[in-house]
Amino acid sequence: MSFLMTIGEVSRRSGVASSALRYYEERSLITSERAGSGHRRFPRSVLRRIAFIVFAQRIGLTLEEIGAELAKLPPGRVPSRRDWARLSSNWTARVDERIAELERLRAGLTECIGCGCLSLDRCQLSNPNDRAAGLGPGPRYWIGDRPPA
Ligand code: FES
């Protein structure tokens, strides 16, 4: 198995379109070497970075945020387990935040979310007279504010 991969091979293995890989490279999230032919050649270790990028996007990180996280990895060598562990402290906090958001989202489907609609029977208790509007715009209880006790 070759250590250097073409963009097509990386695309097939990662499940990410070649156009997206080129975009990641433009944004310096991944890097390749140029073969004598001028074609991109990626080290196999790029697959782990791509997996990180894809999952980070899924939990809502922007490419700028992902770039900032990846910049913590050492340049010029394959990141070790320790390098990834150092990066994961921030990452863990973001994942926990996202889990909390998703749990509120799930619970909120049948509850008052403090959006101001006052359309559910529960709104009379949770958000009487749209009291949540005083906390700011948007569905306040989905965002994380608590309804009055
Ligand atoms: S669901 Fe919109 S204010 Fe209660």
Side-chain angles (χ1 to χ4, degrees), residues 111-120 122-123 126-127 130 141:
E111 299 297 324
C112 174
I113 58 173
C115 64
C117 72
L118 304 176
S119 64
L120 302 183
R122 291 160 190 269
C123 297
S126 300
N127 189 22
D130 195 19
Y141 307 152

Side-chain angles (χ1 to χ4, degrees), residues 2 13 21 27 33 35 43 47-48 68 86-88 95 101 113 117 120-121 124-125 133 148:
S2 168
R13 183 61 188 87
L21 296 174
R27 308 281 307 248
E33 298 166 14
L47 290 167
R48 192 171 169 88
R86 222 173 295 132
L87 185 148
S88 79
V95 171
E101 279 172 10
I113 58 173
C117 72
L120 302 183
D121 53 355
Q124 300 307 323
L125 279 176

Side-chain angles (χ1 to χ4, degrees), residues 56-102:
Q57 283 184 296
R58 277 195 202 164
I59 69 155
L61 266 72
T62 65
L63 287 181
E64 286 73 28
E65 290 172 314
I66 295 167
E69 290 298 310
L70 288 173
K72 296 173 190 164
L73 294 172
R77 69 172 169 81
V78 176
S80 67
R81 188 168 179 267
R82 233 170 107 199
D83 297 324
W84 285 107
R86 222 173 295 132
L87 185 148
S88 79
S89 56
N90 241 348
W91 171 250
T92 303
R94 281 306 290 262
V95 171
D96 287 346
E97 248 172 57
R98 190 73 179 124
I99 288 170
E101 279 172 10
L102 290 171

